[in-house]
Amino acid sequence: MDVIYGLAHGFSVALLPANLLWCFVGCFLGTIIGIIPGLGPAATIAILLPVTYNMDPTGGIIMLCGIYYGAKYGGSTTSILLKMPGEASSVISCLDGYEMARKGRPGQALGIAAISSFVAGTVGVILLSFLAPPIAEFALSFSSPEYFALMLMGLALVVLLAGDDILKTILSLLLGLWLASIGTDLFTAQPRFTFGQTSLLDGIDFMSLAIGVFAISEILMSISAREKVRLVTIPKGLRNLLPSREELRACRFAFFNGSITGFIIGVLPGAGSTISSFVSYGIEKAVSRHPEKFGTGVPEGLAAPEGANNADTGGALLPVLTLGIPGGSSTAILMSALVLWGVRPGPLLMTEQPDIFWGLVASMYVGNIVLLIMNLPLVGLFTQILRIPLYVLFPIIIGVSIAGAYSTSGSMFDIGLLIAFGLLGYGMQQLRFPAGPLILGFVLGDAMERALRQSLTMSNGDPLILVDRPISAILLALAALILVSPLLGRLRRRNTVQAS
């Protein structure tokens, strides 16, 4: 009952006119930021942090958190319409979301993304409200071996992303792992694979890689195919731009899968929404009756990762508010904001400063409703992007891509990388190499290596530490099961054919 009373008090705080205004401002800014590649919620929160110094702490944290989860809503727009992911967590939405848009269903894709984000985001906040203390204690049991095993399981899911050619999928994954290793070794401070380029000492920027491999390569493919008109017919009327009941019914498990997977992985510091979106997509494909259709415009293939991406928000805020442990750059800045306001995140935050804790939690319920109301009417407006002629749209995409790559570092070298990765993506499409595993390997590679080396340091070089710990052993067993599942499926089909 304490939770019910806490939520009642939180809504009395969140529904104050001033706090409602800050919630709307944060959600609106977050949506715009999510649409613009390169900026991201972490950078925006950091930029606006000085503006909030003189604000009421409750209103300030409500606005900053609105930016945080609002950006996750907006991030799907360019991924679906233009195959231009603004963040790593939006990459997986390109697979089925963009294919739905190409088949003349951009409105349905945006609608599914918005509804899935609302459902999973709300579930994430509910779980944050009721399960905060016990789940926070569970997250503390994760150390380097557990993180390595979790990321290895994420890499194992690449076999579920594979189409007919698993070899090409694995080669794409290995290329991503190699690209992640470029830069300065954190343990020895020695340069690796920089080829004498000082600009590579900090590693490869994700924006240059993702936008190049997806957006620029798609433009090159369209040019090489000599497309003169956009082969997308957009139906008129809001009813025709929203998902049908059949599509929503098909996404029922995807909503549940994305909500639970996103929240659980979001609780783990350092895991992030990228892993949760890939894992939820892999789970959805594994349980689907038609896994071969994933990547061709399946609604469930969009709903699951979008849900996980947004449920991750509630999970990521849980260790920050209850333990004072941030799991990523955005939550680290949010915690810094609380400290600057004299608020101490931790187990006593709920009782000592209920206005801030419960006011923030209640505002997230309100914010999810605001974002749904804000995004669904904009579906028709966003889909008009696909009516723009290619000779006008392509220069706009290239300009935005260059701006996104340049804005993260201010280096012309990253623009060169953008072009190089655009050519790489074009070559991969021509040779039918999937791009998703490359991005997954790049995103997880650095953190996975760090977790492995830290684990070996903890055990004085003994690799058995990875199987001596129960959680790590379970995750490694799941990874092994995922890896052999395609082989078991082939054996089952072969036995079926022989029996018939």
Side-chain angles (χ1 to χ4, degrees):
M1 293 301 292
D2 290 341
V3 174
I4 303 299
Y5 291 137
L7 282 174
H9 176 72
F11 278 109
S12 69
V13 174
L15 294 177
L16 292 173
N19 291 335
L20 274 176
L21 174 63
W22 293 126
C23 180
F24 174 80
V25 170
C27 291
F28 177 76
L29 291 176
T31 301
I32 300 301
I33 290 156
I35 294 173
I36 301 174
L39 192 54
T44 307
I45 293 171
I47 292 170
L48 294 178
L49 187 56
V51 180
T52 65
Y53 285 164
N54 296 322
M55 289 178 59
D56 173 70
T58 303
I61 196 65
I62 285 175
M63 184 187 77
L64 294 180
C65 282
I67 295 172
Y68 177 43
Y69 56 80
K72 293 179 179 291
Y73 267 75
S76 62
T77 303
T78 50
S79 295
I80 292 170
L81 297 181
L82 304 176
K83 205 177 183 181
M84 185 188 297
E87 288 192 304
S89 58
S90 301
V91 167
I92 200 72
S93 298
C94 293
L95 300 183
D96 284 282
Y98 182 70
E99 291 301 320
M100 288 183 68
R102 288 189 64 183
K103 292 179 178 179
R105 296 189 294 159
Q108 288 87 338
L110 291 173
I112 287 173
I115 294 171
S116 179
S117 298
F118 169 75
V119 172
T122 303
V123 171
V125 182
I126 293 173
L127 295 175
L128 170 64
S129 306
F130 288 89
L131 302 178
I135 292 184
E137 292 179 7
F138 170 75
L140 286 178
S141 63
F142 269 65
S143 186
S144 297
E146 286 77 18
Y147 284 120
F148 171 77
L150 174 65
M151 293 175 192
L152 185 63
M153 187 181 76
L155 289 183
L157 287 168
V158 77
V159 301
L160 299 178
L161 299 177
D164 297 330
D165 198 330
I166 294 181
L167 178 60
K168 289 183 178 180
T169 301
I170 293 175
L171 289 175
S172 178
L173 174 66
L174 292 175
L175 177 59
L177 290 172
W178 175 71
L179 291 173
S181 69
I182 295 175
T184 302
D185 190 307
L186 291 177
F187 290 82
T188 64
Q190 296 297 315
R192 298 187 304 189
F193 305 114
T194 58
F195 307 104
Q197 291 286 339
T198 57
S199 300
L200 288 175
L201 290 175
D202 291 331
I204 292 175
D205 178 62
F206 169 78
M207 290 303 303
S208 300
L209 174 63
I211 295 178
V213 168
F214 283 101
I216 302 299
S217 68
E218 192 66 26
I219 291 175
L220 295 176
M221 284 292 293
S222 298
I223 293 174
S224 66
R226 299 190 179 186
E227 294 185 11
K228 298 190 182 286
V229 294
R230 176 162 295 275
L231 302 177
V232 175
T233 302
I234 304 172
K236 296 182 179 180
L238 183 60
R239 179 178 300 177
N240 295 322
L241 290 173
L242 295 177
S244 64
R245 291 184 179 180
E246 289 73 19
E247 288 174 321
L248 292 176
R249 191 179 297 113
C251 293
R252 286 178 297 179
F253 178 77
F255 294 151
F256 174 79
N257 165 25
S259 301
I260 303 302
T261 303
F263 180 81
I264 292 175
I265 295 180
V267 171
L268 307 176
S273 54
T274 304
I275 298 179
S276 63
S277 61
F278 273 92
V279 169
S280 64
Y281 186 86
I283 293 173
E284 194 65 31
K285 187 174 180 180
V287 302
S288 174
R289 296 179 180 178
H290 44 79
E292 71 284 352
K293 294 184 179 180
F294 275 65
T296 63
V298 180
E300 308 97 283
L302 174 62
E306 276 300 310
N309 186 25
N310 287 272
D312 171 87
T313 304
L317 286 174
L318 192 151
V320 173
L321 298 175
T322 60
L323 299 173
I325 301 175
S329 54
S330 297
T331 51
I333 298 172
L334 290 173
M335 193 179 80
S336 300
L338 291 172
V339 172
L340 288 172
W341 290 319
V343 178
R344 182 184 299 176
L348 300 179
L349 180 62
M350 291 187 228
T351 54
E352 291 183 349
Q353 293 178 300
D355 282 8
I356 291 179
F357 180 87
W358 291 112
L360 172 60
V361 171
S363 75
M364 293 176 70
Y365 286 96
V366 177
N368 277 299
I369 296 174
V370 169
L371 285 165
L372 184 67
I373 296 174
M374 185 187 302
N375 279 272
L376 282 182
L378 292 177
V379 166
L381 176 62
F382 287 143
T383 55
Q384 297 308 308
I385 294 175
L386 298 182
R387 293 187 181 275
I388 301 176
L390 294 181
Y391 62 84
V392 176
L393 184 61
F394 283 171
I396 294 175
I397 296 175
I398 293 173
V400 173
S401 300
I402 292 174
Y406 184 79
S407 65
T408 55
S409 63
S411 171
M412 293 296 294
F413 184 79
D414 283 339
I415 297 178
L417 287 178
L418 174 72
I419 298 171
F421 287 128
L423 295 173
L424 172 65
Y426 172 71
M428 290 178 67
Q429 288 201 55
Q430 291 283 9
L431 299 174
R432 299 187 181 278
F433 276 79
L438 182 147
I439 300 297
L440 179 62
F442 180 80
V443 171
L444 297 186
D446 182 59
M448 186 175 173
E449 180 195 6
R450 187 184 301 114
L452 176 60
R453 294 173 72 171
Q454 288 173 345
S455 300
L456 295 177
T457 302
M458 291 167 56
S459 64
N460 295 320
D462 185 2
L464 291 178
I465 189 175
L466 299 175
V467 294
D468 287 340
R469 300 165 71 99
I471 297 177
S472 175
I474 292 172
L475 292 173
L476 289 175
L478 289 174
L481 181 63
I482 291 170
L483 287 173
V484 300
S485 59
L487 178 60
L488 295 176
R490 290 180 181 178
L491 290 175
R492 191 183 302 113
R493 287 193 294 270
R494 182 181 301 175
N495 292 334
T496 304
V497 171
Q498 291 176 352
S500 60

